[in-house]
Amino acid sequence: MRTVHGISLGAAKDRVVASDVWAEQHAAINHIHTIIEQALQQIDTETAIDGV
């Protein structure tokens, strides 16, 4: 296996793939968080309109 600065190219590829997966998961979590925040704001707005 070839190495670059002591890191095998296979290991480097695995790290890049893992980083890409992490980035996709992080983006999905942020999207879900945004949806939850919007839902909570909507509930607050509807509660204020109802005067409860």
Side-chain angles (χ1 to χ4, degrees):
M1 175 68 65
R2 290 182 49 197
T3 62
V4 177
H5 299 292
I7 300 172
S8 74
L9 295 180
K13 180 181 175 188
D14 290 345
R15 288 181 186 177
V16 169
V17 169
S19 178
D20 289 347
V21 169
W22 180 88
E24 289 174 9
Q25 290 172 341
H26 192 70
I29 290 167
N30 282 342
H31 182 68
I32 292 167
H33 186 253
T34 300
I35 291 170
I36 292 169
E37 282 185 338
Q38 290 171 346
L40 290 173
Q41 288 172 356
Q42 182 67 29
I43 291 167
D44 286 345
T45 300
E46 290 173 2
T47 300
I49 291 171
D50 291 342
V52 176

